[in-house]
Amino acid sequence: MREQNIHISLRLYQEEELNTDDLELLEAARQATYRSYTPYSHFSVGAAARLANGTIVTGSNQENAAYPSGLCAERTALFYANAQYPDQAIDTLAIAARNERGDFLSAPIPPCGACRQVMLETEQRFQRPMRILLFGTKGIYEVKDAGSLLPLSFDASAMK
Ligand code: THU
């Protein structure tokens, strides 16, 4: 038996340390939370993708009475971006969330597993790292690529 460890590297920023592009993207993600449809969870998530051409595309979680029919903010944003701009890689994806009291989370929002899987495929599709910014009022995580958020990931290469 051999124990193995997989490390992921994150950077923790305060908002005042970010450049104007990232601040703009985070604000777009925060604003997107107000366009979520969350009558069931009352948990509002916003995602904003900056495409390689500079365009910002946003998404928010959209719920449904048939719960699994709803979709997370990240996938709404990524699928919309890919549907509208199929030849544009995603440079950075910013994510923010508000709890049922309407407050932005203090710790950086952790994306769900299914969204991480879609982020990975999006990154691989364009063969270009997708930076991810996870907003929290007490700090913002920067992850250098989607692969870092999903160690031991399943992708198309596993089926070969
Ligand atoms: N949600 C997201 O939009 N993104 C995530 O990464 C985590 C969860 C949504 C799904 C559902 O509408 C609500 O948050 C509660 O799970």
Side-chain angles (χ1 to χ4, degrees), residues 11-153:
R11 290 181 172 173
L12 180 63
Y13 287 93
Q14 298 305 312
E15 205 162 330
E16 53 274 17
E17 297 176 293
L18 297 177
N19 66 30
T20 52
D21 274 2
D22 285 345
L23 286 173
E24 180 188 29
L25 198 64
L26 273 182
E27 181 56 16
R30 284 189 297 242
Q31 287 303 319
T33 65
Y34 296 99
R35 298 189 289 274
S36 69
Y37 175 66
T38 58
Y40 307 105
S41 73
H42 306 287
F43 185 71
S44 298
V45 186
R50 183 181 295 283
L51 311 186
N53 68 6
T55 303
I56 292 178
V57 164
T58 64
S60 54
N61 50 334
Q62 302 294 318
E63 298 184 346
N64 193 283
Y67 288 8
S69 302
L71 196 64
C72 292
E74 297 90 326
R75 279 177 285 162
T76 303
L78 291 177
F79 289 152
Y80 180 79
N82 291 160
Q84 295 296 318
Y85 304 92
D87 57 353
Q88 289 295 311
I90 305 213
D91 181 80
T92 307
L93 179 72
I95 308 162
R98 290 182 299 112
N99 60 26
E100 59 190 356
R101 292 182 300 282
D103 301 327
F104 284 101
L105 305 193
S106 56
I109 162 83
C112 82
C115 288
R116 292 178 200 217
Q117 186 73 34
V118 170
M119 288 179 206
L120 181 73
E121 181 106 9
T122 307
E123 174 170 276
Q124 292 181 345
R125 164 180 176 169
F126 294 106
Q127 298 189 329
R128 182 176 150 161
M130 181 169 77
R131 279 172 76 231
I132 299 160
L133 298 173
L134 307 176
F135 179 73
T137 57
K138 289 195 174 148
I140 296 135
Y141 275 146
E142 177 197 48
V143 187
K144 69 176 186 341
D145 56 24
S148 299
L149 275 184
L150 201 59
L152 284 185
S153 54

